[in-house]
Amino acid sequence: KAFKEYEGVYYSSELGTVYKIYVMEDKLMMEHIRQGEHQIRQTGKDEFFANRLGELQFVRDKNKIKGFKLSAGRIKNLNFVKQ
């Protein structure tokens, strides 16, 4: 399925935290140890939205996902790197 390329573990050195992204029943899910599991919905090419988390813009290098930027409220473009 198309969402498979987004699967992985993403780390933010700024926050010292990790999000796991995976496909479950044809839905893209995001999990955090303290915030639990959330469905993320596609809003555009490499763009997604998660309730209570905000907007995710995935970043590519040579057409391969290398991370995402999270924006929510006053937080803009917080970097997460695919591990």
Side-chain angles (χ1 to χ4, degrees), residues 12-42:
S12 166
S13 58
E14 206 169 331
L15 294 181
T17 197
V18 169
Y19 280 98
K20 181 181 175 188
I21 295 180
Y22 54 95
V23 177
M24 183 174 73
E25 297 173 359
D26 291 333
K27 296 181 176 108
L28 197 58
M29 305 298 291
M30 182 177 214
E31 187 174 22
H32 183 270
I33 194 155
R34 287 192 308 272
Q35 297 174 350
E37 187 178 73
H38 303 276
Q39 181 181 352
I40 54 180
R41 293 176 178 83
Q42 192 162 25

Side-chain angles (χ1 to χ4, degrees), residues 44-80:
K45 178 164 172 44
D46 292 340
E47 295 174 0
F48 292 82
F49 181 80
N51 290 342
R52 300 193 311 255
L53 289 175
E55 300 171 7
L56 289 83
Q57 172 68 58
F58 283 88
V59 179
R60 292 180 182 268
D61 182 29
K62 298 181 181 136
N63 214 30
K64 189 174 165 91
I65 301 287
K66 68 173 193 172
F68 68 83
K69 295 179 184 297
L70 178 65
S71 296
R74 293 183 307 229
I75 297 167
K76 300 285 185 227
N77 297 322
L78 189 60
N79 264 321
F80 283 79

